[in-house]
Amino acid sequence: MKLSYHQINLNGTLYDLSTPVVMGILNVTPDSFYGGSRYQTEKDIAERTEQILAEGALMIDLGAYSSRPDGVDISPEEEMERLDFALKIIQKTAPEALISVDTFRASVAERCVKEYGVSVINDISGGIIDDKMFETVADLHVPYVLMHMRGVPQTMQQFCQYDNLLPDILFDLAKKVEQLRKLGVCDIIIDPGFGFSKTLDQNYELMHHLREFGIFDLPLLVGISRKSMIYKFLGGSPETSLNGTIVLNTLALLGGASILRVHDVKEAVETIKLVQKVGV
């Protein structure tokens, strides 16, 4: 396994990613694609927070907007209302927790960082939905997950036509990395965007060429947990896709992933330990 020696600054502390880390998913939506990831009551959010941290995740990725293609497009106000509710519970339950907020809206990102001390902004749109996002994260001085996607969640699967898949995606990300650097964003994390504006076969082509994303010399986040690229190929559903997730996370680590974004934290932590033990 090719090790990453990157560091990210989370709330003033440098974290070494030479050993890959886990980002545990906590969704406060009623319609996320995996039913097991939806937490809406105070008790459920608190228990999920404790579980993610107890099982060894470095950070919690909190989402309040479902990015599934048939998800409901809620307003920024409703998204923030959901986040307000959850962030207060997380802070009460685990004030030391490092939190990433999954949002493509600059105004939401700003409030989460300024009012709750959120550590990371995870933008599925890579700045294409809200053109203020890049300037906002630069002003906030927080790490930014730059994901590749085309269109918006409701239309993204209409934009899977590429002249040449890997070069097109790398070029698109490279342009955005340059924009972010010019604005002064120091901590950029690359996410290839598995499942976003990609067909099933394109997702596997990206996984096969994952090492190519090392060209950026930036931390690489992979989020394939229980996604349709697994269950549409093998059969089943998100609920039956844990084994496929573990296999693909193993391949992602071999391809240079520094961060695994997952629903199943314990299994991902164990996967990292085993891959590192083998030392391939």
Side-chain angles (χ1 to χ4, degrees):
M1 178 174 64
K2 180 183 177 182
L3 295 179
S4 164
Y5 294 98
H6 302 112
Q7 294 179 322
I8 52 172
N9 186 331
L10 302 174
N11 294 358
T13 299
L14 286 177
Y15 288 82
D16 178 21
L17 300 181
S18 57
T19 296
V21 299
V22 173
M23 175 185 278
I25 299 169
L26 197 171
N27 287 322
V28 289
T29 57
D31 56 344
S32 293
F33 79 90
Y34 174 44
S37 73
R38 305 170 194 160
Y39 304 90
Q40 294 186 278
T41 69
E42 181 173 354
K43 179 176 180 290
D44 287 346
I45 292 170
E47 288 180 352
R48 176 58 176 164
T49 296
E50 292 174 339
Q51 178 189 24
I52 288 172
L53 298 176
E55 291 184 354
L58 175 64
M59 64 189 102
I60 297 168
D61 191 50
L62 177 63
Y65 183 107
S66 176
S67 57
R68 62 192 293 175
D70 57 350
V72 177
D73 181 22
I74 63 171
S75 68
E77 292 75 20
E78 185 172 355
E79 182 185 7
M80 194 64 226
E81 184 178 343
R82 293 176 180 179
L83 290 169
D84 274 323
F85 178 69
L87 286 164
K88 288 173 183 175
I89 295 167
I90 294 171
Q91 285 194 335
K92 181 180 178 181
T93 304
E96 76 286 357
L98 298 170
I99 303 169
S100 161
V101 165
D102 185 346
T103 185
F104 53 76
R105 290 166 166 151
S107 61
V108 172
E110 183 172 21
R111 282 193 58 187
C112 288
V113 173
K114 289 185 174 179
E115 296 178 22
Y116 295 99
V118 161
S119 305
V120 178
I121 297 301
N122 182 6
D123 177 8
I124 62 166
S125 82
I128 62 174
I129 295 179
D130 189 335
D131 60 9
K132 296 180 181 177
M133 180 61 89
F134 285 6
E135 291 182 0
T136 299
V137 292
D139 291 341
L140 294 171
H141 302 291
V142 293
Y144 176 68
V145 180
L146 171 67
M147 197 189 86
H148 177 270
M149 185 181 79
R150 292 172 166 182
V152 298
Q154 293 76 21
T155 65
M156 61 186 178
Q157 291 310 110
Q158 300 171 25
F159 298 97
C160 299
Q161 297 77 33
Y162 298 86
D163 292 330
N164 198 327
L165 180 70
L166 186 64
D168 286 359
I169 291 173
L170 292 174
F171 183 67
D172 182 66
L173 290 171
K175 290 190 296 182
K176 293 178 180 181
V177 168
E178 183 180 13
Q179 293 172 25
L180 289 162
R181 290 293 195 213
K182 286 181 177 178
L183 290 168
V185 179
C186 297
D187 290 296
I188 304 168
I189 298 163
I190 296 292
D191 182 346
F194 288 99
F196 291 80
S197 312
K198 285 99 181 168
T199 65
L200 186 148
D201 288 341
Q202 287 169 344
N203 285 316
Y204 284 97
E205 184 178 347
L206 280 186
M207 184 64 74
H208 180 70
H209 292 285
L210 196 61
R211 286 186 178 274
E212 302 299 325
F213 288 86
I215 192 172
F216 295 109
D217 195 28
L218 293 170
L220 179 64
L221 182 151
V222 169
I224 47 80
S225 183
R226 296 182 180 267
K227 285 186 174 179
S228 63
M229 65 181 287
I230 299 169
Y231 62 83
K232 286 185 178 179
F233 180 65
L234 296 176
S237 66
E239 287 71 24
T240 62
S241 297
L242 176 57
N243 184 60
T245 298
I246 293 170
V247 171
L248 291 184
N249 276 337
T250 302
L251 294 174
L253 293 169
L254 297 175
S258 299
I259 303 170
L260 298 178
R261 180 182 179 274
V262 300
H263 299 94
D264 307 281
V265 173
K266 176 178 180 290
E267 290 80 358
V269 169
E270 290 178 347
T271 300
I272 290 169
K273 288 180 178 178
L274 290 171
V275 171
Q276 287 226 307
K277 181 64 174 175
V278 174
V280 294

